[in-house]
Amino acid sequence: MAAATVHAMPDAEDVRRIALSLPDTTEKIAWSMPTFRVAGKMFATLPEDETSIAVRCPKEERDELVLAEPEKFWIADHESQFAWVRARLAALEDEDELRDILADSWRQAAPPRLLEAYPELGPPAVR
């Protein structure tokens, strides 16, 4: 009997590897957790014992995401006034979804010179 292909859920190491693969990204510990920054501007964090990520997300989109997939996305109380959303790593479909989420957040924080230099990362997704 052939073993079924199991897609391992993304974890903190996947977040770190993918985030740091994005241009001009650095990792810095802040508020006792890993944060990822592009050109010095934060675009992702690994809170909650590294079981979730917090990423930039326009408030309108964020609210739609939370309503559409509450098992996956939520808004932390202390971030409600900011354009950030949380995503549970265990609820993500696969590494591709994680990469899309991180790249989208990166685009929102990246300066125009990086967006122009890396057109394959494209403009922020319009949903």
Side-chain angles (χ1 to χ4, degrees), residues 69-125:
E69 299 183 86
E71 71 290 345
K72 188 180 292 186
F73 299 103
W74 87 100
I75 300 164
D77 291 341
H78 66 280
E79 292 169 347
S80 62
Q81 69 272 34
F82 303 107
W84 284 76
V85 69
R86 300 280 178 102
R88 291 173 182 86
L89 293 176
L92 298 182
E93 290 172 29
D94 54 25
E95 200 175 288
D96 288 341
E97 185 178 22
L98 173 62
R99 182 175 285 107
D100 288 347
I101 291 169
L102 288 170
D104 194 52
S105 187
W106 180 91
R107 283 190 293 271
Q108 292 173 59
R113 68 175 170 81
L114 284 175
L115 295 175
E116 290 165 14
Y118 296 93
E120 70 277 10
L121 290 169

